[in-house]
Amino acid sequence: SIEGRCCSAMCVFRTRMLRDIGYRQTEGILYTDLEWGTFPMLGVRKIKYLPIVVYRYFQGREGQSISAAVAGSRSGDLERVLSRMVDELGGYRGDKGKESFFASRLNSVATNLYHNYLICAPLGEVDAGFARADAIVSRLSGLHASTENVRLSNRLRFRYVGAWRRRRHLPRLVVLFARAYSCLASGIMRWIVRMIPVAAITADLL
């Protein structure tokens, strides 16, 4: 699928195509790679996938956007990206492959936003963060429905977004468990990354 192979930071587009669609990237925020890997697809007609390693992303550097400290303090940037996606892509109708891609990307970004607030926000601000995320998501009925079943992982059945929507609140015990589980999973992943060379995926989009 396009979604499976289109890694946001490793897409190459024709400059003329970007000019033709009037592409503009939001300035002064994190997560612009999500914009780069999504909005230009409006003008893409052909895709060429190259299974070669051109970039290797190492987790653990201070200040990375995926770190809990940065993700917690810059969730507003992700809100801006999601809001723009909802406004500009939510009503897209045309190529079925692109429709599926945009719907999948919207769901992924929305899920990441809820996850950021669950794992990274100060304990007293989780509900407020969820409320802001839900206000954006609710502008698209399909996106609101698809995020109802968001879970912390495929191994856990608890659908925390749906649970929050029913009460507009997540108990502190649930939040603390989610953070402990996430911390454990991240530690295991870092160990795997150290032990096994990771091949990056690159795509040349024409």
Side-chain angles (χ1 to χ4, degrees):
S1 68
I2 297 175
E3 171 67 15
R5 293 189 171 185
C6 181
C7 184
S8 298
M10 291 175 279
C11 300
V12 179
F13 301 101
R14 291 186 184 276
T15 304
R16 185 175 65 183
M17 183 274 289
L18 295 174
R19 289 172 177 159
D20 287 345
I21 66 171
Y23 176 73
R24 292 290 184 273
Q25 192 160 288
T26 307
E27 298 182 9
I29 65 170
L30 296 180
Y31 309 110
T32 51
D33 59 324
L34 295 175
E35 294 185 341
W36 176 251
T38 304
F39 291 109
M41 291 297 295
L42 287 166
V44 168
R45 290 181 297 175
K46 295 181 181 179
I47 296 175
K48 184 176 182 180
Y49 170 70
L50 300 177
I52 59 176
V53 177
V54 296
Y55 180 74
R56 181 169 291 170
Y57 190 89
F58 292 99
Q59 295 187 13
R61 284 191 298 106
E62 185 177 349
Q64 285 179 308
S65 60
I66 62 172
S67 71
V70 175
S73 63
R74 301 297 293 270
S75 292
D77 291 354
L78 194 55
E79 285 182 16
R80 289 181 62 183
V81 171
L82 178 60
S83 183
R84 182 184 172 192
M85 286 184 175
V86 167
D87 289 341
E88 298 185 24
L89 303 176
Y92 175 84
R93 296 294 181 271
D95 181 89
K96 295 301 181 182
K98 290 184 181 181
E99 284 187 23
S100 176
F101 172 77
F102 293 141
S104 178
R105 185 55 63 93
L106 278 161
N107 186 76
S108 175
V109 174
T111 297
N112 286 340
L113 183 56
Y114 286 114
H115 183 82
N116 273 10
Y117 283 122
L118 176 66
I119 304 301
C120 307
L123 286 174
E125 298 177 17
V126 174
D127 289 332
F130 270 49
R132 289 194 297 273
D134 224 46
I136 299 171
V137 168
S138 296
R139 283 155 35 195
L140 272 182
S141 59
L143 182 60
H144 189 267
S146 69
T147 51
E148 178 74 17
N149 297 320
V150 169
R151 297 182 292 180
L152 186 62
S153 83
N154 291 331
R155 296 179 180 274
L156 301 177
R157 291 190 174 186
F158 180 65
R159 295 169 171 81
Y160 67 86
V161 173
W164 178 86
R165 286 173 179 165
R166 286 189 289 275
R167 297 187 177 184
R168 308 294 290 184
H169 172 69
L170 277 182
R172 180 163 295 195
L173 186 60
V174 171
V175 176
L176 291 175
F177 171 80
R179 295 183 179 192
Y181 183 90
S182 179
C183 184
L184 177 62
S186 297
I188 294 174
M189 181 59 67
R190 282 195 295 270
W191 180 82
I192 292 174
V193 169
R194 290 193 188 101
M195 299 299 292
I196 304 174
V198 180
I201 296 175
T202 185
D204 179 15
L205 305 183
L206 303 178

